């Protein structure tokens, strides 16, 4: 039986990853700074630890007979609203987690190390520009500090991998959505925020949307991303790997998809807000060479996500 430690398992993507690894027969230890209901409860073991601390990282990896795979997904992160307003917390907290976790991983002689990076490491793009490959990360010009920290953490993990002979695998995630993701509170990403606004609005009402609605994005459904993480980690391919959907849509098209699934007719009020980059377009040739492909269209994924968020909204607004 393989033993895995999943960091950030109280969170969205790692919570789904815990369940996936358990289904595959892994023994899984989930680690997070706070107790949350989803991933940790599916794990064999749950440790509440602050991974900014080296001793906590070492404790996370102390397992009888050793750890085969570490999945490092812990991060102080959120959507554009959070990335725009919490630069110092993002730079400090995430650098500490990532520096200490890879250091603890080599000290603990783990078998393999996965790091969750982001396409935020890439520069802004013009609409219609040709797809960027992984090598196009350089010369580097990320749009925000979150992207700069991810790039530094990628390089740190790779340097440790080279020096200590630790197989390191890195995936650059595109914007991910699905059930059990953050949907309120200021850290939610665009798909969850739009689902929440649509769920809260009465039929025939109006929702506010940041920006002019023309920014181009792609959104990956969480089950597809988790399959990509597993494919990346277990592969022999070194170097970062873009993982995302190749279906690119404008923010207005995202809104139309959500309202279509909700069966509501809503007007959109475009308001000022932190929009981020203008456009995205990435090559997925590397990860697709492993036989992986995103299986959910945006409509498929929203059909699974919207009902979950609508139910959360209903529960949060129901007076007991
Ligand atoms: P999330 O916020 O749902 O999960 C991150 C988890 O890390 C949270 O549960 C949080 O409590 C935990 N954490 C934060 N600080 C910690 C600390 N000091 N010690 C221990 N745990 C700590 O985020 P997510 O959406 O699941 O993202 C997972 C990873 O994927 C992150 O590294 C993120 O940067 C990366 N990523 C996500 C997306 C996306 O669209 N969701 C896109 C690109 C990259």
């Amino acid at each position: 039986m393989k033993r895995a430690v999943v960091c950030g398992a109280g969170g969205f993507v790692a919570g789904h990853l815990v369940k996936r690894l358990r289904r595959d027969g892994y023994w899984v230890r989930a680690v997070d700074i706070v107790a949350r209901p989803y991933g940790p409860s599916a794990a064999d073991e749950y440790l509440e630890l602050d991974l900014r601390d080296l001793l906590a990282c070492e404790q996370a990896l102390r397992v009888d007979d050793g750890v085969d795979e570490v999945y490092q997904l812990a991060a102080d992160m959120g959507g554009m609203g959070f990335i725009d307003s919490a630069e110092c917390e993002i730079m400090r907290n995430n650098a500490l987690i990532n520096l200490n976790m890879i250091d603890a991983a080599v000290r603990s002689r783990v078998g393999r190390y996965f790091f969750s990076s982001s396409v935020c490491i890439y520069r802004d793009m013009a609409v219609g520009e040709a797809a960027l490959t992984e090598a196009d990360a350089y010369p580097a010009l990320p749009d925000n500090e979150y992207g700069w920290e991810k790039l530094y953490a990628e390089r740190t993990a790779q340097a440790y991998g080279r020096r200590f002979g630790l197989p390191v695998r890195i995936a650059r995630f595109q914007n991910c959505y699905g059930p059990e993701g953050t949907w309120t509170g200021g850290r939610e990403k665009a798909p969850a925020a739009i689902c929440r606004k649509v769920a809260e609005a009465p039929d025939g009402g109006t929702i506010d949307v940041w920006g002019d609605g023309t920014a181009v994005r792609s959104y990956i459904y969480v089950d597809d991303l988790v399959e990509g993480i597993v494919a990346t980690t277990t592969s022999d391919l070194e170097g970062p790997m873009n993982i995302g959907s190749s279906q690119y849509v404008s923010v207005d098209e995202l809104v139309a998809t959500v309202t279509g699934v909700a069966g509501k007719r809503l007007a959109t009020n475009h308001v000022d807000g932190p929009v981020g980059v203008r456009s995205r377009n990435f090559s997925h040739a590397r990860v697709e060479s492993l036989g992986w492909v995103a299986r959910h269209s945006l409509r498929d994924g929203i059909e699974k996500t919207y009902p979950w968020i609508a139910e959360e909204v209903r529960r949060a607004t129901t007076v007991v």
Side-chain angles (χ1 to χ4, degrees):
M1 182 188 277
K2 278 194 182 175
R3 292 169 299 273
V5 173
V6 179
C7 308
F12 170 44
V13 180
H16 283 268
L17 177 64
V18 167
K19 293 178 201 161
R20 169 66 169 76
L21 294 174
R22 291 281 289 119
R23 280 200 302 277
D24 257 17
Y26 278 68
W27 177 90
V28 180
R29 172 182 286 166
V31 184
D32 204 291
I33 194 170
V34 285
R36 291 216 183 83
Y38 309 119
S41 59
D44 294 277
E45 212 176 275
Y46 171 60
L47 294 186
E48 203 170 310
L49 294 169
D50 183 347
L51 297 174
R52 289 173 298 185
D53 178 46
L54 178 60
L55 293 178
C57 293
E58 289 177 350
Q59 188 183 339
L61 301 181
R62 210 170 292 130
V63 174
D64 289 346
D65 301 325
V67 176
D68 295 299
E69 293 165 11
V70 176
Y71 293 84
Q72 191 340 57
L73 287 90
D76 197 2
M77 66 89 66
M80 271 320 297
F82 181 74
I83 286 176
D84 196 56
S85 62
E87 294 180 336
C88 301
E89 293 84 350
I90 286 170
M91 291 299 257
R92 180 172 193 278
N93 294 336
N94 294 337
L96 286 171
I97 294 169
N98 288 321
L99 289 172
N100 286 326
M101 208 58 224
I102 186 70
D103 197 66
V106 296
R107 288 165 195 265
S108 309
R109 301 182 195 285
V110 305
R112 203 163 262 248
Y113 189 86
F114 172 85
F115 173 60
S116 56
S117 185
S118 163
V119 293
C120 280
I121 62 101
Y122 292 104
R123 62 174 170 78
D124 196 358
M125 299 179 72
V127 176
E129 205 179 321
L132 298 183
T133 67
E134 287 81 357
D136 293 323
Y138 299 99
L141 191 57
D143 177 65
N144 52 56
E145 304 307 342
Y146 170 75
W148 280 107
E149 191 284 328
K150 286 287 191 197
L151 205 52
Y152 173 66
E154 281 188 7
R155 300 188 70 91
T156 306
Q158 287 175 303
Y160 270 78
R162 282 192 297 274
R163 167 81 67 87
F164 297 99
L166 169 65
V168 168
R169 299 290 178 266
I170 296 169
R172 295 172 178 161
F173 301 167
Q174 283 169 242
N175 200 322
C176 181
Y177 69 100
E180 302 176 4
T182 304
W183 58 275
T184 189
R187 288 180 185 244
E188 62 277 19
K189 297 188 150 224
I194 301 293
C195 286
R196 187 199 70 233
K197 290 177 185 189
V198 169
E200 287 170 344
D203 196 14
T206 302
I207 59 166
D208 285 348
V209 174
W210 289 348
D212 65 8
T214 62
V216 174
R217 300 281 182 276
S218 87
Y219 304 101
I220 180 155
Y221 185 66
V222 64
D223 288 356
D224 288 335
L225 179 58
V226 164
E227 289 308 315
I229 293 171
V230 172
T232 302
T233 306
T234 52
S235 84
D236 293 330
L237 274 188
E238 295 181 352
M241 199 106 71
N242 296 332
I243 304 184
S245 158
S246 298
Q247 182 186 4
Y248 290 87
V249 295
S250 68
V251 172
D252 279 347
E253 286 167 331
L254 169 65
V255 173
T257 304
V258 176
T259 53
V261 168
K264 290 186 181 180
R265 290 163 65 92
L266 298 174
T268 302
N269 183 27
H270 291 114
V271 298
D272 280 347
V275 176
V277 292
R278 266 229 60 66
S279 188
R280 284 334 208 168
N281 188 14
F282 300 110
S283 162
H284 303 121
R286 289 198 88 220
V287 67
E288 285 176 0
S289 76
L290 302 174
W292 177 91
V293 69
R295 301 197 182 281
H296 290 77
S297 68
L298 182 61
R299 174 92 192 189
D300 294 340
I302 293 295
E303 280 175 356
K304 294 181 177 180
T305 307
Y306 179 78
W308 184 84
I309 293 181
E311 176 59 15
E312 293 292 302
V313 168
R314 192 195 62 74
R315 269 199 267 175
T317 50
T318 302
V319 183
V320 278

